[in-house]
Amino acid sequence: MAKTTHQTKPCADGFCFLAGLFFGLFGFWSLTLFHYKRHFGFIPFSAKASDYGAEAPFLHSDPPHETFYDDPELSYFVEKPVNNWDQKRRVWLDLHPSFTAGSRDRVLLVTGSQPSVCKNPIGDHLLLRFFKNKVDYCRLHGHDIFYNDAYLHPKMDSYWAKLPIIRAAMLAHPEAEWIWWMDSDAVFTDMEFKVPLGRYKDHNFVVHGWPNMVYQDKNKSWTGLNAGVLLIRNCQWSMALIDVWASMGPLSPDFERWGQILTSVFKDKLFPVSDDQSSLIYLLFTNKEKWGDKTYLEGEYNLEGYWLALVGKYDTLTESYIKMERNEGVLKRRHAEKVNEWYDAKREKYLKGRERRPFVTHFTGCQPCSGEHNLQYSADSCWNEMKRALNYADNQVLKNYGFVHPELSSSYVSVVRS
């Protein structure tokens, strides 16, 4: 049986084809628009591609041009100086222009712990939670993080171990303007606070401290600053500081003599050993023009806060923040974690005149890994307050996921009631 055929008249100049294509695309667009609107994901046509991450650093290629990495004399070892670092870093950034945007405020947080298993039975668990706390903070604020559990120089362990790590991090991350060192036993307890980097535009080194206890002879103390939390600019000045600073440590043939010198200078220093903190203070006041003038002793917020002075405030501060959120509806509104910083900025105006959370709580003297805490504290006070501090910080993260630790002394969680 023959098929029935239908003869059609072709469209002039392809008009019918174009019309059909137009109506087909219009129908598809209409269905897609309706679908997105129904699912609350409609993206307005005015949005630009750059608004959705197109300007992020490009990570998938490395130009063939030679950089300092190609120098066979380059050494990551702390004993070998690096020269002309500012120029070398600038050349690298010029060859990697996608890292230029935001480079002046780019931060790499560096922390770590010893390579061996902790002697304290709960030490490894505590270190894991301390690390989680730092990862949470970095995720919320867009910082990279490097956790190291190896001694990068066989002689530089304990409190001296950070210098080889910081120096290696500077070389490994020329895109980072600041290296932020945090001791393993330091906890972020205000997850919203952002370090005011603009305040330090004329400085290369930031540490919590008190000028009168560093520079005045009658008040000079080996606790005039705390070197457990510090910001150091990724520049030649910092490379030189690390070289001089490290030369007062275990690498030096005069290590024992340095211990005697520091003990004679700091009358409140009870042990005749050259430590990183006393050595740093010594460098600042003996050569203030070179080192001190580029060092910012921060005292306006808790870049590093002594735990005994802070842990008793957590419950009161929790109630204060809950009351503030209750009175200001925008702060109580549930939101995605990715837009936290917008809400953090809104909160700032309501914090004026109020006591705010301590930024960092540092458990100096507690030694969670070895368990060899300062004898003026009990072991239980150290471990219990660490747990409370970690839960206090964790509440600020968990609320974005709909949960909270109702009791800071317990890891139990409950659903947040709106």
Side-chain angles (χ1 to χ4, degrees):
M1 182 176 179
K3 293 182 179 179
T4 304
T5 58
H6 300 277
Q7 190 173 4
T8 58
K9 184 178 180 179
C11 293
D13 299 323
F15 174 80
C16 290
F17 171 78
L18 292 175
L21 179 62
F22 173 80
F23 283 111
L25 290 174
F26 181 80
F28 174 78
W29 175 81
S30 300
L31 288 172
T32 304
L33 177 61
F34 175 72
H35 172 76
Y36 277 132
K37 282 186 174 180
R38 284 184 60 202
H39 289 82
F40 312 106
F42 174 58
I43 300 174
F45 285 107
S46 60
K48 297 179 181 178
S50 62
D51 294 335
Y52 297 94
E55 294 180 352
F58 190 63
L59 308 176
H60 304 294
S61 73
D62 194 20
H65 306 80
E66 285 194 358
T67 68
F68 66 91
Y69 288 117
D70 299 294
D71 183 356
E73 299 299 317
L74 174 69
S75 174
Y76 293 84
F77 221 41
V78 71
E79 290 178 286
K80 188 167 183 180
V82 173
N83 298 315
N84 301 319
W85 177 237
D86 292 339
Q87 179 183 357
K88 291 173 180 176
R89 184 170 168 246
R90 191 177 303 113
V91 168
W92 189 93
L93 286 170
D94 286 345
L95 291 172
H96 299 78
S98 68
F99 288 93
T100 302
S103 62
R104 298 298 295 176
D105 292 331
R106 188 170 291 124
V107 173
L108 171 69
L109 191 141
V110 179
T111 186
S113 59
Q114 64 187 47
S116 57
V117 174
C118 291
K119 294 179 182 179
N120 182 5
I122 61 171
D124 290 306
H125 172 70
L126 288 171
L127 289 184
L128 175 63
R129 292 206 63 194
F130 278 117
F131 179 48
K132 175 197 178 301
N133 169 262
K134 296 175 178 68
V135 170
D136 282 339
Y137 183 86
C138 289
R139 184 183 69 255
L140 292 170
H141 295 278
H143 301 324
D144 286 334
I145 184 169
F146 170 57
Y147 190 96
N148 179 67
D149 62 352
Y151 293 134
L152 300 191
H153 193 287
K155 291 185 177 180
M156 300 191 78
D157 57 5
S158 187
Y159 33 72
W160 285 104
K162 64 172 165 275
L163 295 190
I165 301 170
I166 292 171
R167 186 183 180 280
M170 292 167 69
L171 289 170
H173 287 271
E175 83 286 354
E177 181 69 12
W178 292 96
I179 306 298
W180 186 353
W181 170 264
M182 284 193 71
D183 279 357
S184 60
D185 58 355
V187 187
F188 287 109
T189 41
D190 188 345
M191 302 300 283
E192 296 178 350
F193 186 80
K194 293 181 66 174
V195 170
L197 293 176
R199 182 185 299 181
Y200 314 129
K201 59 183 177 63
D202 297 324
H203 296 83
N204 296 329
F205 193 74
V206 185
V207 65
H208 196 95
W210 300 266
N212 65 317
M213 296 173 67
V214 172
Y215 298 112
Q216 293 180 9
D217 288 336
K218 64 178 181 178
N219 294 317
K220 199 176 274 75
S221 169
W222 82 283
T223 60
L225 57 79
N226 190 291
V229 179
L230 58 87
L231 284 153
I232 187 166
R233 193 182 296 277
N234 196 356
C235 66
Q236 182 62 48
W237 182 96
S238 300
M239 288 284 189
L241 173 63
I242 290 175
D243 290 341
V244 176
W245 194 0
S247 72
M248 299 176 70
L251 293 178
S252 172
D254 298 321
F255 181 52
E256 290 187 8
R257 186 174 68 86
W258 274 119
Q260 296 168 0
I261 292 172
L262 295 174
T263 305
S264 68
V265 169
F266 300 104
K267 304 305 180 184
D268 60 341
K269 183 174 169 62
L270 302 178
F271 51 99
V273 177
S274 177
D275 64 287
D276 64 320
Q277 188 165 290
S278 301
S279 300
L280 176 59
I281 298 173
Y282 183 86
L283 290 174
L284 295 183
F285 75 76
T286 55
N287 199 338
K288 187 175 185 298
E289 184 176 348
K290 186 171 185 178
W291 307 120
D293 288 349
K294 285 293 184 179
T295 297
Y296 195 106
L297 296 178
E298 183 60 79
E300 293 187 31
Y301 65 92
N302 294 111
L303 179 62
E304 179 280 334
Y306 181 43
W307 67 279
L308 273 181
L310 301 175
V311 292
K313 299 180 178 182
Y314 294 157
D315 292 316
T316 303
L317 286 169
T318 297
E319 291 300 320
S320 174
Y321 274 65
I322 290 174
K323 183 179 179 180
M324 177 171 52
E325 290 179 354
R326 189 183 300 123
N327 293 336
E328 306 299 336
V330 66
L331 300 181
K332 193 178 181 181
R333 183 187 179 200
R334 289 183 293 193
H335 57 271
E337 189 178 68
K338 283 294 186 182
V339 295
N340 251 28
E341 285 204 353
W342 186 87
Y343 286 88
D344 299 346
K346 289 290 183 183
R347 189 189 303 275
E348 283 300 315
K349 68 178 182 180
Y350 300 113
L351 282 170
K352 292 179 180 178
R354 295 174 179 262
E355 183 176 10
R356 70 177 305 144
R357 302 164 178 145
F359 180 40
V360 172
T361 302
H362 190 191
F363 286 87
T364 53
C366 276
Q367 303 296 328
C369 191
S370 69
E372 298 170 358
H373 56 85
N374 189 316
L375 294 179
Q376 67 176 311
Y377 324 128
S378 69
D380 285 344
S381 66
C382 279
W383 319 146
N384 291 340
E385 294 301 341
M386 284 179 179
K387 183 187 295 185
R388 292 182 73 251
L390 289 163
N391 285 341
Y392 179 66
D394 204 30
N395 276 348
Q396 299 165 45
V397 177
L398 279 180
K399 69 178 183 181
N400 293 318
Y401 298 81
F403 293 86
V404 69
H405 300 284
E407 297 291 336
L408 296 182
S409 58
S410 171
S411 295
Y412 170 79
V413 297
S414 62
V415 175
V416 175
R417 304 297 178 186
S418 57

